[in-house]
Amino acid sequence: MQRFLVEKTATDWRETEAFRAAVAAIAAGRLVAVPTETVYGLAADATNPSACAGIFVAKGRPSFNPLIAHVASLKEAERHGVFDERALKLARAFWPGPLTLVVPKRADSPVCDLATAGLATIALRVPASKIMRDLAEACGSPIAAPSANRSGRISATTADAVVEDLGGSLDVVIDAGATPVGVESTIVGLAGDKPRLLRPGGIAREDIEAVLGQPLLEAEGSDTAPTAPGMLTSHYAPTARIRLAAGDVRPGEALLAFGLPLPAGAHQAVAIENLSERADTTEAAIRLFAALRRLDASGAATIAVMPVPMGGLGEAINDRLKRAAAPRDRSFQA
Ligand code: TXA
Ligand code: MG
């Protein structure tokens, strides 16, 4: 495994050894850890089935769970998916950025069936991360990239977290420091007549609804049905048990705080992480996964979590926390 430090905003990174190594690895069907603005991605050529199979193996991910194809521009996205008026509006408003659009897949798209799990739809995203866009452009193919964590674990927002989870499977790791958004992209489903929020994420529901001029319906489907795959209930699972909406801290617990004051018993917490002392959901999203990892590493058997409001990125944060707290059925853990 080769690991390179790259500045997020470096304009000349395409001249570097890091860029050459990443492009060569992707072209050879291997896996590269790539920072996006949301979380690190486990990247491979979306048109290469054996490379995409490598992603599922490395993550231990059920193969019905399709991957997001990352492309450099809306123009490129339109080669792989069918964009109606709604899709164009959202793409123009939020790309490049933390929004993924699920649209009908074009019959002539070279993205492999394994990447889309055989669905008639494709998830496309033009990320704000210039590193990912440059790679997609240089490789001449969309880059399939799920979050770079073992399936069912917390998403990685730093290169160290990626290496800890997946080091053995990677050819190249591009380390650009902590990812700025901290939660995954918002996924909007546009394949049916009504737009649906398939996953809350880095762009708030209300901002998307304002551009669409209509409300987003909830995702359909269940844990096992591929209509909303990847949204398995037990996901983002730390080793510790998670106790939500905690109004106090009990002996032996660690505390995931949001805002101040801290609840009763906080002085005896095994460890404390405050997502945002000023109760700001954007700041909290940035810190969420790293804070959970640190509290998990404290050895506490339970992490007590203070309530987080639903506005702004709060919906995405609450979604991830609910999954972290869900009972874990090992036979069906993704
Ligand atoms: O921010 C992000 O979106 C990150 C970065 C790396 O881009 N990626 C990410 O990928 O979170 P992943 O694979 O961990 O989550 C992608 C989600 C999964 O829940 C998957 O089921 C859903 O997107 N998805 C992909 N294609 C889909 C499709 N055609 N229809 C419905 N859901 C789809
Ligand atoms: Mg993921």
Side-chain angles (χ1 to χ4, degrees), residues 39 59 61 65 146-149 152-153 155 184 199 230 235-236:
V39 297
K59 282 188 67 93
R61 164 179 273 201
N65 194 353
S147 51
N149 52 281
R153 307 282 308 169
S155 293
E184 298 86 340
R199 177 177 73 183
H235 203 41
Y236 307 98

Side-chain angles (χ1 to χ4, degrees), residues 16-309:
T16 64
E17 180 59 23
F19 183 70
R20 278 190 291 276
V23 171
I26 291 170
R30 303 215 204 286
L31 304 182
V32 176
V34 179
T36 80
E37 72 277 25
T38 56
V39 297
Y40 275 73
L42 176 61
D45 178 349
T47 66
N48 178 336
S50 76
C52 291
I55 291 179
F56 292 117
V57 172
K59 282 188 67 93
R61 164 179 273 201
S63 55
F64 55 70
N65 194 353
L67 306 170
I68 296 172
H70 298 71
V71 290
S73 63
L74 169 58
K75 189 159 165 261
E76 189 60 26
E78 287 183 280
R79 289 186 44 204
H80 304 281
V82 179
F83 281 64
D84 61 13
E85 262 325 297
R86 305 167 303 177
L88 288 173
K89 252 193 201 167
L90 292 181
R92 288 184 186 126
F94 298 110
W95 282 353
L99 175 69
T100 296
L101 297 176
V102 173
V103 296
K105 188 183 180 188
R106 294 184 73 101
D108 58 354
S109 164
V111 169
C112 66
D113 277 342
L114 195 52
T116 51
L119 298 176
T121 54
I122 183 168
L124 287 157
R125 157 159 135 83
V126 177
S129 158
K130 186 168 177 309
I131 293 177
M132 181 66 102
R133 290 204 313 271
D134 283 349
L135 287 175
E137 194 179 275
C139 292
S141 298
I143 306 286
S147 51
N149 52 281
R150 286 192 56 79
S151 208
R153 307 282 308 169
I154 298 165
S155 293
T157 54
T158 64
D160 283 342
V162 175
V163 171
E164 193 184 301
D165 245 25
L166 293 170
S169 310
L170 296 165
D171 260 36
V172 175
V173 175
I174 305 290
D175 178 354
T179 56
V181 176
V183 288
E184 298 86 340
S185 59
T186 300
I187 306 181
V188 174
L190 293 171
D193 346 316
K194 297 271 167 54
R196 289 182 188 273
L197 183 63
L198 300 183
R199 177 177 73 183
I203 292 184
R205 168 202 286 273
E206 46 271 37
D207 295 340
I208 295 169
E209 291 176 339
V211 169
L212 276 177
Q214 62 177 306
L216 289 167
L217 299 189
E218 300 311 314
E220 285 177 317
S222 68
D223 259 12
T224 47
T227 40
M231 299 306 281
L232 302 171
T233 307
S234 170
H235 203 41
Y236 307 98
T239 309
R241 218 175 65 80
I242 301 286
R243 187 165 69 83
L244 295 177
D248 62 351
V249 182
R250 299 173 190 163
E253 288 185 336
L255 173 64
L256 184 64
F258 179 87
L260 290 169
L262 298 179
H267 64 281
Q268 56 171 2
V270 173
I272 300 180
E273 293 282 337
N274 200 329
L275 291 175
S276 173
E277 292 194 350
R278 58 195 164 89
D280 175 273
T281 56
T282 300
E283 179 179 57
I286 293 168
R287 295 182 178 169
L288 177 66
F289 292 129
L292 274 174
R293 277 181 194 267
R294 281 194 293 268
L295 291 181
D296 210 17
S298 75
T302 301
I303 300 171
V305 181
M306 283 171 68
V308 176

